[in-house]
Amino acid sequence: QWDEPRVCSRRYLKVDFADIGWNEWIISPKSFDAYYCAGACEFPMPKIVHPSNHATIQSIVRAVGIVPGIPEPCCVPDKMSPLGVLFLDENRNVVLKVYPNMSVETCACR
Amino acid sequence: SHTAPARSAPPVASYGLARDKDPQRFLGDRAAALGPGAQDMVAVHMLRLYEKYRQRGARPGGGNTVRSFRPRLEVVNQRALYFFNLTSMQDSEMILTATFHFYSEPRWPRAHEVPCKQRAKNASCRLLPPGLPARRHLLFRSLSQNMATQGLLRGAVALAPPPRGLWQARDISPIVKAARRDGELLLSAELDSGEKDPGVPRPSPHAPYILIYANDLAISEPNSVAVTLQRYDPFPAGDPEPGAAPNNSTDPRVRRATQAAGPFQDNELPGLDEKPAQAPHDPQGHKHALWPSPFRTLKPRPGRKDRRRKGQDTFAASSQVLHFDEKTMQKARRK
């Protein structure tokens, strides 16, 4: 993790359902690559962090320092992808559900 | 109400014989994922839908949810009835299609003897060739949970005799939607062949099953994954396990002793023996000022200078004695 870039970017995270105790009823997948977002949204923000207009303005106001206490924008998921999960419901019937926003594709400053 | 997108579910679908004849072979190592006794055709079918989604991103049935329902077999008046409990469907799940899957083999009526008309010298009695295989009907009834009646007949589907034993599917969307609209989420299916004593089938991997393709309108809610997959409380509500925490809270975690049990050399800091700072006095004189409230009362933030000074003396005043539990002390001694 130490050689991760400082700037807001996607970091690797593999989620194993056994680690969160859901593996008893989840048939498949047993684990998936979820990723997460971390890093700074410092002024000036590079294009790579895809800042929104509001984040750009907030970052400038914070850098100018007229209004005290303004935090820097947050590094959050931007594009995400769904995950199909096959699991047993309470009656032990097999269910397939496709959950949206389960895995991070890109991060951005917001 | 939700109008399902026009989707002509296959009125009759029959699967290749080889792969379905032996679900275990198709399951392979994934059978373990389904746990013991769950390696029947419905499990194979659901795994196949999952693989199709995983490899091609194909939305199952055009929605985001597929629920399978295994039957409970009951024999009523010599007839085999398969009961399906559909109550696990969520209100936010809008039914797109419902299909009934069953395995059937051709049933030849027993060949019967024809009395010989005349006893000719060389004629011998012969058996008529068996007639055509019997036509069968699928009868669906729905009943609400607590009704003991046979239930309301919701539909009857005539079945052409299959050329050989194979799995078939029928679209029963109107039947399931009507039953759900009327709040009757217990469905019974009867394979009626019209014969007197069809013989009672035993539970087998060839048991029929229902698949319901739906669109869960609540799946995009924040944290929808928790609604269906987060089942932390292993104990049913209101029935604490024997090993529950001593103060009878339902929380099963064991509370660790905070006060040290046995007398041992505590690590009091030398020369500092003032009492810990009292609970902050409450100007309004509320009664709870005597009991440290569970929430720390917010104190006005002191200026920068006396914050530094205050930091020193609060440190000096508040942390004279540190308590460690027995286990930690043993570890420390060992080190």
Side-chain angles (χ1 to χ4, degrees):
Chain A
Q1 301 288 33
W2 303 119
D3 58 357
E4 297 278 1
R6 268 186 45 77
V7 77
C8 170
S9 57
R10 185 178 79 160
R11 313 298 167 95
Y12 183 66
L13 170 67
K14 174 179 183 166
V15 172
D16 190 324
F17 286 120
D19 294 342
I20 56 177
W22 292 7
N23 56 311
E24 280 169 50
W25 46 87
I26 290 185
I27 299 162
S28 207
K30 285 304 179 188
S31 66
F32 73 103
D33 294 336
Y35 298 96
Y36 68 96
C37 295
C41 294
E42 286 169 337
F43 179 83
M45 285 186 287
K47 276 201 175 23
I48 190 174
V49 299
H50 315 289
S52 61
N53 291 335
H54 176 271
T56 304
I57 297 294
Q58 178 176 329
S59 173
I60 295 171
V61 168
R62 169 184 159 80
V64 166
I66 296 174
V67 180
I70 300 288
E72 73 178 33
C74 300
C75 178
V76 295
D78 185 19
K79 287 196 195 63
M80 303 184 83
S81 48
L83 178 77
V85 180
L86 197 65
F87 62 94
L88 296 172
D89 68 8
E90 280 81 355
N91 300 336
R92 297 199 67 78
N93 284 312
V94 185
V95 181
L96 169 61
K97 268 189 180 289
V98 179
Y99 293 98
N101 306 331
M102 290 284 276
S103 183
V104 178
E105 296 205 2
T106 61
C107 299
C109 289
R110 289 288 180 270
Chain B
S1 72
H2 179 77
T3 49
R7 183 185 178 284
S8 58
V12 176
S14 57
Y15 309 126
L17 184 63
R19 180 168 47 181
D20 304 339
K21 194 82 176 168
D22 170 15
Q24 265 82 349
R25 205 160 50 77
F26 174 73
L27 278 173
D29 60 336
R30 280 165 302 192
L34 286 160
Q39 298 157 19
D40 45 11
M41 188 57 196
V42 59
V44 171
H45 198 148
M46 289 300 286
L47 267 175
R48 205 183 299 146
L49 288 172
Y50 172 71
E51 291 298 331
K52 216 160 91 176
Y53 167 74
R54 205 169 61 90
Q55 284 147 18
R56 289 180 248 153
R59 291 269 163 169
N64 55 34
T65 296
V66 184
R67 281 189 182 275
S68 67
F69 295 91
R70 287 195 183 92
R72 189 184 73 242
L73 173 60
E74 284 194 17
V75 179
V76 177
N77 309 332
Q78 282 290 318
R79 292 178 323 196
L81 289 181
Y82 291 97
F83 284 92
F84 295 90
N85 178 351
L86 308 182
T87 53
S88 54
M89 269 196 297
Q90 287 163 35
D91 296 344
S92 58
E93 291 172 355
M94 294 300 136
I95 297 174
L96 300 175
T97 310
T99 49
F100 179 78
H101 301 257
F102 59 99
Y103 181 82
S104 71
E105 293 172 320
R107 280 184 173 237
W108 303 95
R110 289 182 188 70
H112 49 281
E113 290 219 347
V114 175
C116 300
K117 286 203 179 55
Q118 73 281 351
R119 190 160 291 287
K121 283 191 197 56
N122 56 358
S124 67
C125 281
R126 51 188 172 70
L127 290 177
L128 267 184
L132 287 172
R135 290 184 68 82
R136 306 183 76 184
H137 288 80
L138 259 177
L139 303 177
F140 291 97
R141 295 184 180 82
S142 69
L143 50 158
S144 59
Q145 287 287 85
N146 46 16
M147 264 169 59
T149 64
Q150 270 227 35
L152 178 64
L153 183 62
R154 288 280 178 183
V157 180
L159 302 176
R164 61 186 193 289
L166 81 167
W167 280 89
Q168 301 184 51
R170 286 292 186 286
D171 186 337
I172 57 169
S173 311
I175 293 172
V176 172
K177 287 179 184 174
R180 185 191 201 189
R181 189 186 52 237
D182 300 346
E184 298 190 337
L185 289 173
L186 204 56
L187 209 60
S188 76
E190 179 188 353
L191 268 171
D192 170 37
S193 62
E195 286 177 20
K196 297 274 176 303
D197 56 341
V200 175
R202 286 171 304 288
S204 79
H206 287 153
Y209 59 93
I210 287 178
L211 292 188
I212 294 187
Y213 298 82
N215 225 4
D216 187 347
L217 303 182
I219 206 158
S220 298
E221 298 288 313
N223 213 15
S224 63
V225 74
V227 170
T228 38
L229 292 178
Q230 190 164 324
R231 303 176 199 166
Y232 280 136
D233 187 354
F235 313 113
D239 129 26
E241 282 295 294
N247 60 1
N248 259 342
S249 76
T250 52
D251 184 345
R253 282 170 300 181
V254 179
R255 195 169 299 284
R256 285 202 303 170
T258 45
Q259 296 311 326
F264 54 84
Q265 179 61 30
D266 61 16
N267 51 2
E268 199 163 333
L269 297 177
L272 287 168
D273 53 358
E274 283 98 31
K275 285 278 160 280
Q278 291 307 323
H281 176 65
D282 184 300
Q284 285 80 16
H286 286 309
K287 62 182 183 319
H288 63 251
L290 306 177
W291 307 98
S293 72
F295 302 102
R296 203 174 295 284
T297 48
L298 275 182
K299 294 191 266 320
R301 281 173 66 84
R304 193 181 297 276
K305 278 191 281 323
D306 48 9
R307 217 184 303 163
R308 201 172 307 114
R309 185 163 25 79
K310 186 167 175 2
Q312 273 148 12
D313 61 26
T314 34
F315 175 75
S318 65
S319 62
Q320 291 89 350
V321 178
L322 291 176
H323 282 298
F324 292 102
D325 60 345
E326 184 55 30
K327 209 167 133 197
T328 315
M329 291 308 290
Q330 278 166 5
K331 247 193 271 181
R333 283 196 205 100
R334 231 177 292 134
K335 275 184 190 152

Coordinates of all heavy atoms in Angstrom, one line a residue, chain B residues 111-182:
Chain B
A111 N -51.5 -52.5 -21.5 CA -52.2 -53.2 -22.6 C -53.2 -54.1 -21.9 O -53.0 -54.6 -20.8 CB -51.2 -54.1 -23.2
H112 N -54.4 -54.3 -22.5 CA -55.4 -55.1 -21.9 C -55.8 -56.3 -22.8 O -55.8 -56.2 -24.0 CB -56.7 -54.3 -21.5 CG -57.2 -53.5 -22.6 ND1 -56.6 -52.3 -23.0 CD2 -58.2 -53.7 -23.5 CE1 -57.2 -51.8 -24.0 NE2 -58.2 -52.6 -24.4
E113 N -56.3 -57.4 -22.1 CA -56.6 -58.6 -22.9 C -57.9 -58.4 -23.6 O -58.8 -57.7 -23.2 CB -56.8 -59.7 -21.9 CG -55.4 -60.1 -21.3 CD -55.3 -61.6 -21.1 OE1 -56.3 -62.3 -21.2 OE2 -54.2 -62.0 -20.9
V114 N -58.0 -59.0 -24.8 CA -59.3 -59.0 -25.5 C -59.8 -60.4 -25.5 O -59.1 -61.3 -25.8 CB -59.0 -58.6 -27.0 CG1 -60.3 -58.7 -27.8 CG2 -58.4 -57.2 -27.0
P115 N -61.1 -60.6 -25.0 CA -61.5 -62.0 -24.9 C -61.6 -62.5 -26.4 O -62.0 -61.8 -27.3 CB -62.9 -61.9 -24.3 CG -63.3 -60.4 -24.4 CD -62.0 -59.6 -24.5
C116 N -61.2 -63.8 -26.5 CA -61.2 -64.3 -27.8 C -62.6 -64.6 -28.3 O -63.5 -65.0 -27.5 CB -60.5 -65.7 -27.8 SG -58.8 -65.5 -27.3
K117 N -62.9 -64.2 -29.5 CA -64.3 -64.3 -30.0 C -64.6 -65.8 -30.2 O -65.5 -66.4 -29.7 CB -64.5 -63.5 -31.3 CG -64.6 -62.0 -31.1 CD -65.3 -61.4 -32.3 CE -65.4 -59.9 -32.0 NZ -64.0 -59.3 -31.8
Q118 N -63.9 -66.4 -31.1 CA -64.2 -67.8 -31.3 C -62.9 -68.6 -31.1 O -61.8 -68.1 -31.4 CB -64.8 -68.1 -32.6 CG -63.9 -67.9 -33.8 CD -63.6 -66.5 -34.1 OE1 -64.3 -65.6 -33.6 NE2 -62.6 -66.3 -35.0
R119 N -63.0 -69.8 -30.6 CA -61.8 -70.5 -30.4 C -61.4 -71.2 -31.7 O -61.7 -72.4 -31.9 CB -62.0 -71.5 -29.2 CG -60.6 -72.1 -28.8 CD -60.7 -72.7 -27.4 NE -60.9 -71.6 -26.3 CZ -59.9 -70.8 -25.9 NH1 -58.7 -71.0 -26.6 NH2 -60.0 -70.0 -25.0
A120 N -60.9 -70.5 -32.6 CA -60.5 -71.1 -33.9 C -59.3 -72.0 -33.5 O -58.6 -71.9 -32.5 CB -60.1 -70.1 -34.9
K121 N -59.0 -73.0 -34.5 CA -58.0 -74.0 -34.2 C -56.7 -73.3 -33.9 O -56.1 -73.4 -32.9 CB -57.9 -75.0 -35.4 CG -59.0 -76.0 -35.4 CD -58.6 -77.1 -36.4 CE -59.9 -77.9 -36.7 NZ -61.0 -77.0 -37.2
N122 N -56.3 -72.5 -34.9 CA -54.9 -72.1 -34.8 C -54.8 -70.6 -34.3 O -53.8 -70.0 -34.2 CB -54.2 -72.2 -36.1 CG -55.0 -71.4 -37.2 OD1 -56.0 -70.8 -36.8 ND2 -54.5 -71.4 -38.4
A123 N -56.1 -70.0 -34.0 CA -56.0 -68.6 -33.6 C -55.5 -68.6 -32.1 O -55.8 -69.6 -31.4 CB -57.3 -67.9 -33.7
S124 N -54.9 -67.7 -31.7 CA -54.6 -67.7 -30.3 C -55.0 -66.3 -29.8 O -55.0 -65.3 -30.5 CB -53.1 -67.8 -30.1 OG -52.5 -66.7 -30.6
C125 N -55.3 -66.2 -28.5 CA -55.7 -64.9 -28.0 C -54.5 -63.9 -28.1 O -53.4 -64.3 -27.8 CB -56.0 -65.0 -26.5 SG -57.7 -65.7 -26.3
R126 N -54.8 -62.8 -28.4 CA -53.7 -61.8 -28.5 C -54.0 -60.5 -27.8 O -55.2 -60.3 -27.5 CB -53.4 -61.5 -30.0 CG -54.7 -61.1 -30.8 CD -54.4 -61.1 -32.3 NE -55.7 -60.8 -32.9 CZ -56.4 -59.7 -32.8 NH1 -55.9 -58.7 -32.1 NH2 -57.5 -59.5 -33.4
L127 N -53.0 -59.8 -27.5 CA -53.2 -58.5 -26.7 C -53.3 -57.4 -27.7 O -52.5 -57.4 -28.7 CB -52.0 -58.3 -25.8 CG -51.9 -59.3 -24.6 CD1 -50.6 -58.9 -23.9 CD2 -53.1 -59.1 -23.7
L128 N -54.2 -56.5 -27.4 CA -54.3 -55.3 -28.3 C -53.0 -54.5 -28.1 O -52.6 -54.4 -27.0 CB -55.5 -54.5 -27.9 CG -56.8 -54.8 -28.7 CD1 -57.9 -53.8 -28.3 CD2 -56.5 -54.6 -30.2
P129 N -52.5 -53.9 -29.1 CA -51.4 -53.0 -28.8 C -51.8 -51.9 -27.9 O -53.0 -51.5 -27.9 CB -51.0 -52.5 -30.2 CG -52.2 -52.6 -31.0 CD -52.9 -53.8 -30.5
P130 N -50.9 -51.5 -27.0 CA -51.4 -50.4 -26.1 C -51.8 -49.2 -26.9 O -51.3 -48.9 -27.9 CB -50.1 -50.0 -25.3 CG -49.0 -50.6 -26.1 CD -49.5 -51.7 -26.9
G131 N -52.9 -48.5 -26.3 CA -53.4 -47.3 -27.0 C -52.3 -46.2 -27.0 O -51.2 -46.4 -26.6
L132 N -52.8 -45.0 -27.3 CA -51.9 -43.8 -27.3 C -51.5 -43.5 -25.9 O -52.3 -43.8 -25.0 CB -52.6 -42.6 -28.0 CG -52.8 -42.7 -29.5 CD1 -53.7 -41.6 -30.0 CD2 -51.4 -42.7 -30.1
P133 N -50.3 -42.9 -25.7 CA -50.0 -42.5 -24.3 C -51.0 -41.6 -23.8 O -51.6 -40.8 -24.5 CB -48.6 -41.9 -24.4 CG -48.4 -41.6 -25.9 CD -49.3 -42.5 -26.6
A134 N -51.2 -41.6 -22.4 CA -52.3 -40.9 -21.8 C -52.0 -39.4 -21.9 O -50.8 -39.0 -21.7 CB -52.4 -41.3 -20.3
R135 N -53.0 -38.6 -22.2 CA -52.8 -37.1 -22.1 C -52.9 -36.7 -20.7 O -53.6 -37.2 -19.9 CB -53.9 -36.4 -22.9 CG -53.8 -36.6 -24.4 CD -55.0 -35.8 -25.1 NE -54.7 -34.4 -25.0 CZ -53.9 -33.7 -25.8 NH1 -53.2 -34.4 -26.7 NH2 -53.8 -32.4 -25.7
R136 N -52.0 -35.7 -20.3 CA -52.0 -35.3 -18.9 C -52.4 -33.8 -18.8 O -52.3 -33.1 -19.8 CB -50.6 -35.5 -18.3 CG -50.2 -36.9 -18.5 CD -48.8 -37.2 -17.9 NE -48.9 -37.3 -16.4 CZ -47.8 -37.5 -15.7 NH1 -46.7 -37.5 -16.2 NH2 -48.0 -37.6 -14.4
H137 N -52.8 -33.4 -17.7 CA -53.1 -32.0 -17.4 C -52.4 -31.5 -16.2 O -52.1 -32.2 -15.3 CB -54.6 -31.8 -17.2 CG -55.5 -32.0 -18.4 ND1 -55.8 -33.3 -18.9 CD2 -56.0 -31.1 -19.3 CE1 -56.5 -33.2 -20.0 NE2 -56.6 -31.9 -20.3
L138 N -52.0 -30.2 -16.3 CA -51.4 -29.5 -15.2 C -52.5 -28.7 -14.5 O -53.1 -27.8 -15.2 CB -50.3 -28.6 -15.7 CG -48.8 -29.0 -15.6 CD1 -47.9 -28.0 -16.2 CD2 -48.5 -29.2 -14.1
L139 N -52.8 -28.9 -13.2 CA -53.8 -28.1 -12.6 C -53.1 -27.2 -11.5 O -52.3 -27.7 -10.7 CB -54.8 -29.0 -11.9 CG -55.5 -30.0 -12.9 CD1 -56.4 -30.9 -12.1 CD2 -56.3 -29.3 -13.9
F140 N -53.4 -25.9 -11.6 CA -52.8 -25.0 -10.6 C -53.9 -24.4 -9.7 O -54.9 -24.0 -10.2 CB -52.1 -23.8 -11.3 CG -50.8 -24.3 -12.0 CD1 -50.9 -24.5 -13.4 CD2 -49.6 -24.5 -11.3 CE1 -49.7 -25.0 -14.0 CE2 -48.5 -24.9 -12.0 CZ -48.5 -25.1 -13.3
R141 N -53.7 -24.5 -8.4 CA -54.6 -23.9 -7.4 C -53.8 -23.0 -6.5 O -52.6 -23.2 -6.3 CB -55.3 -25.0 -6.6 CG -56.2 -25.9 -7.4 CD -57.0 -26.9 -6.5 NE -57.8 -27.7 -7.2 CZ -57.4 -28.8 -7.8 NH1 -56.1 -29.2 -7.8 NH2 -58.2 -29.6 -8.5
S142 N -54.5 -21.9 -6.0 CA -53.7 -21.0 -5.1 C -54.6 -20.9 -3.8 O -55.8 -21.0 -3.9 CB -53.6 -19.6 -5.7 OG -54.9 -19.0 -5.7
L143 N -53.9 -20.9 -2.7 CA -54.6 -20.7 -1.4 C -53.7 -19.8 -0.5 O -52.5 -19.8 -0.7 CB -54.9 -22.0 -0.8 CG -53.8 -23.1 -0.6 CD1 -54.2 -24.0 0.5 CD2 -53.6 -23.9 -1.9
S144 N -54.4 -19.1 0.4 CA -53.6 -18.3 1.3 C -53.0 -19.2 2.4 O -53.5 -20.3 2.5 CB -54.4 -17.1 1.8 OG -55.5 -17.7 2.5
Q145 N -52.1 -18.7 3.1 CA -51.3 -19.5 4.1 C -52.2 -20.3 5.0 O -52.1 -21.5 5.1 CB -50.5 -18.5 5.0 CG -49.3 -17.9 4.2 CD -48.2 -18.9 4.0 OE1 -48.3 -19.7 3.0 NE2 -47.3 -19.0 4.9
N146 N -53.3 -19.7 5.5 CA -53.9 -20.4 6.6 C -55.2 -21.1 6.2 O -55.9 -21.7 7.0 CB -54.3 -19.4 7.7 CG -55.0 -18.1 7.1 OD1 -55.4 -18.2 5.9 ND2 -55.0 -17.0 7.8
M147 N -55.5 -21.1 4.9 CA -56.7 -21.8 4.5 C -56.5 -23.3 4.3 O -55.4 -23.7 3.9 CB -57.2 -21.2 3.1 CG -58.2 -20.1 3.2 SD -58.4 -19.3 1.7 CE -59.0 -20.6 0.6
A148 N -57.5 -24.0 4.8 CA -57.2 -25.5 4.7 C -57.9 -26.1 3.5 O -57.9 -27.3 3.3 CB -57.8 -26.1 6.0
T149 N -58.5 -25.2 2.7 CA -59.3 -25.8 1.5 C -58.3 -26.2 0.4 O -57.1 -26.0 0.5 CB -60.2 -24.8 0.9 OG1 -59.3 -23.8 0.4 CG2 -61.1 -24.1 2.0
Q150 N -58.9 -26.7 -0.6 CA -58.1 -27.1 -1.8 C -57.5 -25.9 -2.5 O -56.6 -26.0 -3.2 CB -59.0 -27.9 -2.7 CG -59.1 -29.3 -2.5 CD -59.0 -30.1 -3.8 OE1 -58.2 -29.6 -4.7 NE2 -59.7 -31.2 -3.9
G151 N -58.2 -24.8 -2.3 CA -57.7 -23.6 -3.0 C -58.5 -23.4 -4.2 O -59.2 -24.2 -4.7
L152 N -58.2 -22.2 -4.8 CA -59.0 -21.7 -6.0 C -58.3 -22.2 -7.2 O -57.0 -22.1 -7.3 CB -59.0 -20.2 -6.0 CG -59.7 -19.5 -7.1 CD1 -61.2 -19.8 -7.1 CD2 -59.4 -18.0 -7.0
L153 N -59.0 -22.9 -8.2 CA -58.4 -23.3 -9.4 C -57.9 -22.1 -10.2 O -58.8 -21.3 -10.6 CB -59.3 -24.2 -10.2 CG -58.7 -24.8 -11.5 CD1 -57.6 -25.8 -11.1 CD2 -59.8 -25.6 -12.3
R154 N -56.7 -22.0 -10.4 CA -56.2 -20.8 -11.1 C -55.9 -21.1 -12.6 O -55.7 -20.2 -13.4 CB -54.9 -20.4 -10.5 CG -55.0 -19.7 -9.1 CD -55.5 -18.3 -9.2 NE -55.7 -17.7 -7.9 CZ -56.2 -16.5 -7.8 NH1 -56.5 -15.8 -8.8 NH2 -56.4 -16.0 -6.6
G155 N -55.7 -22.4 -13.0 CA -55.4 -22.6 -14.4 C -55.2 -24.1 -14.6 O -54.8 -24.9 -13.7
A156 N -55.5 -24.5 -15.8 CA -55.3 -25.9 -16.2 C -54.6 -25.9 -17.6 O -55.0 -25.2 -18.5 CB -56.6 -26.7 -16.3
V157 N -53.5 -26.7 -17.7 CA -52.7 -26.7 -18.9 C -52.7 -28.1 -19.5 O -52.3 -29.0 -18.7 CB -51.2 -26.2 -18.6 CG1 -50.4 -26.2 -19.9 CG2 -51.3 -24.8 -18.0
A158 N -53.2 -28.3 -20.7 CA -53.1 -29.6 -21.3 C -51.7 -29.9 -21.8 O -51.0 -29.0 -22.3 CB -54.1 -29.7 -22.5
L159 N -51.3 -31.1 -21.6 CA -49.9 -31.5 -21.9 C -49.9 -32.6 -23.0 O -50.6 -33.6 -22.8 CB -49.2 -32.0 -20.7 CG -49.1 -31.1 -19.5 CD1 -48.5 -31.8 -18.3 CD2 -48.3 -29.9 -19.9
A160 N -49.2 -32.3 -24.1 CA -49.1 -33.3 -25.1 C -48.1 -34.4 -24.6 O -47.2 -34.0 -23.9 CB -48.5 -32.7 -26.4
P161 N -48.4 -35.6 -24.8 CA -47.5 -36.7 -24.3 C -46.1 -36.5 -24.9 O -46.0 -36.3 -26.2 CB -48.1 -38.0 -24.7 CG -49.1 -37.6 -25.8 CD -49.5 -36.2 -25.6
P162 N -45.0 -36.5 -24.1 CA -43.7 -36.3 -24.7 C -43.2 -37.5 -25.4 O -43.6 -38.6 -25.1 CB -42.8 -36.0 -23.4 CG -43.6 -36.8 -22.3 CD -45.0 -36.7 -22.7
P163 N -42.4 -37.3 -26.4 CA -41.8 -38.5 -27.1 C -41.0 -39.4 -26.3 O -40.9 -40.6 -26.4 CB -41.0 -37.9 -28.3 CG -40.7 -36.5 -27.8 CD -41.8 -36.1 -26.9
R164 N -40.4 -38.8 -25.3 CA -39.5 -39.6 -24.3 C -39.4 -38.8 -23.1 O -39.9 -37.6 -23.0 CB -38.1 -39.8 -24.9 CG -37.4 -38.5 -25.1 CD -36.1 -38.7 -25.9 NE -35.3 -37.5 -25.8 CZ -35.5 -36.4 -26.5 NH1 -36.6 -36.4 -27.2 NH2 -34.7 -35.4 -26.4
G165 N -38.8 -39.3 -22.1 CA -38.7 -38.6 -20.8 C -37.8 -37.3 -21.0 O -36.7 -37.4 -21.4
L166 N -38.4 -36.2 -20.7 CA -37.6 -34.9 -20.8 C -38.2 -33.8 -19.9 O -39.4 -33.9 -19.5 CB -37.4 -34.5 -22.2 CG -38.5 -33.7 -22.9 CD1 -38.0 -33.1 -24.2 CD2 -39.7 -34.6 -23.2
W167 N -37.4 -32.8 -19.7 CA -37.9 -31.6 -18.9 C -38.6 -30.7 -19.8 O -38.2 -30.4 -21.0 CB -36.7 -30.9 -18.3 CG -36.2 -31.5 -17.0 CD1 -35.2 -32.5 -17.0 CD2 -36.7 -31.3 -15.7 NE1 -35.0 -32.9 -15.6 CE2 -35.9 -32.2 -14.9 CE3 -37.6 -30.5 -15.1 CZ2 -36.1 -32.2 -13.5 CZ3 -37.8 -30.5 -13.8 CH2 -37.1 -31.4 -13.0
Q168 N -39.7 -30.1 -19.3 CA -40.5 -29.2 -20.1 C -40.7 -27.9 -19.2 O -40.6 -28.0 -18.0 CB -41.8 -29.8 -20.6 CG -41.7 -31.0 -21.4 CD -43.0 -31.5 -21.9 OE1 -43.8 -30.7 -22.4 NE2 -43.3 -32.8 -21.7
A169 N -41.1 -26.8 -19.9 CA -41.4 -25.6 -19.2 C -42.7 -25.0 -19.7 O -43.0 -25.1 -20.9 CB -40.3 -24.6 -19.3
R170 N -43.5 -24.4 -18.8 CA -44.7 -23.8 -19.2 C -44.7 -22.4 -18.6 O -44.3 -22.2 -17.5 CB -46.0 -24.5 -18.7 CG -46.2 -25.8 -19.5 CD -46.7 -25.5 -20.9 NE -47.1 -26.7 -21.6 CZ -46.2 -27.7 -22.1 NH1 -44.9 -27.5 -21.9 NH2 -46.7 -28.7 -22.7
D171 N -45.2 -21.4 -19.4 CA -45.3 -20.0 -18.8 C -46.6 -20.0 -18.0 O -47.7 -20.2 -18.5 CB -45.4 -19.1 -20.0 CG -45.4 -17.6 -19.5 OD1 -45.7 -17.4 -18.3 OD2 -45.0 -16.7 -20.3
I172 N -46.4 -19.7 -16.7 CA -47.5 -19.6 -15.8 C -47.6 -18.2 -15.2 O -48.1 -18.0 -14.1 CB -47.5 -20.6 -14.7 CG1 -46.2 -20.5 -13.9 CG2 -47.6 -22.0 -15.2 CD1 -46.1 -21.3 -12.6
S173 N -47.1 -17.2 -16.0 CA -47.1 -15.8 -15.5 C -48.5 -15.3 -15.0 O -48.6 -14.8 -13.9 CB -46.5 -14.8 -16.5 OG -45.3 -15.3 -17.0
P174 N -49.5 -15.5 -15.9 CA -50.9 -14.9 -15.5 C -51.3 -15.6 -14.2 O -51.9 -14.9 -13.3 CB -51.8 -15.3 -16.6 CG -50.9 -15.7 -17.8 CD -49.6 -16.1 -17.2
I175 N -51.0 -16.9 -14.0 CA -51.5 -17.6 -12.8 C -50.8 -17.0 -11.6 O -51.5 -16.7 -10.6 CB -51.2 -19.1 -13.0 CG1 -52.0 -19.7 -14.1 CG2 -51.4 -19.9 -11.7 CD1 -51.7 -21.1 -14.5
V176 N -49.5 -16.9 -11.6 CA -48.8 -16.4 -10.5 C -49.1 -14.9 -10.2 O -49.3 -14.6 -9.0 CB -47.2 -16.6 -10.7 CG1 -46.4 -15.9 -9.6 CG2 -46.9 -18.0 -10.8
K177 N -49.3 -14.1 -11.2 CA -49.6 -12.7 -11.0 C -51.0 -12.6 -10.3 O -51.2 -11.8 -9.4 CB -49.5 -11.9 -12.3 CG -48.1 -11.7 -12.8 CD -48.1 -11.0 -14.1 CE -46.7 -10.8 -14.7 NZ -46.7 -10.2 -16.1
A178 N -51.9 -13.4 -10.8 CA -53.3 -13.3 -10.3 C -53.3 -13.7 -8.8 O -53.8 -13.1 -7.9 CB -54.2 -14.1 -11.1
A179 N -52.6 -14.8 -8.6 CA -52.5 -15.4 -7.2 C -51.9 -14.3 -6.3 O -52.4 -14.1 -5.1 CB -51.7 -16.7 -7.2
R180 N -50.8 -13.7 -6.7 CA -50.1 -12.7 -5.9 C -51.0 -11.5 -5.6 O -51.1 -11.0 -4.5 CB -48.8 -12.2 -6.5 CG -48.0 -11.3 -5.6 CD -46.9 -10.7 -6.4 NE -45.8 -10.2 -5.5 CZ -44.8 -9.5 -5.9 NH1 -44.7 -9.1 -7.2 NH2 -43.9 -9.0 -5.1
R181 N -51.7 -11.1 -6.7 CA -52.6 -9.9 -6.6 C -53.7 -10.2 -5.5 O -54.0 -9.4 -4.7 CB -53.3 -9.6 -7.9 CG -54.1 -8.3 -8.0 CD -54.8 -8.2 -9.3 NE -55.6 -9.4 -9.6 CZ -55.5 -10.1 -10.7 NH1 -54.6 -9.7 -11.6 NH2 -56.2 -11.2 -10.9
D182 N -54.1 -11.5 -5.4 CA -55.2 -11.8 -4.4 C -54.5 -12.2 -3.1 O -55.2 -12.7 -2.2 CB -56.0 -13.0 -5.0 CG -56.7 -12.6 -6.3 OD1 -56.7 -11.4 -6.5 OD2 -57.2 -13.5 -7.0

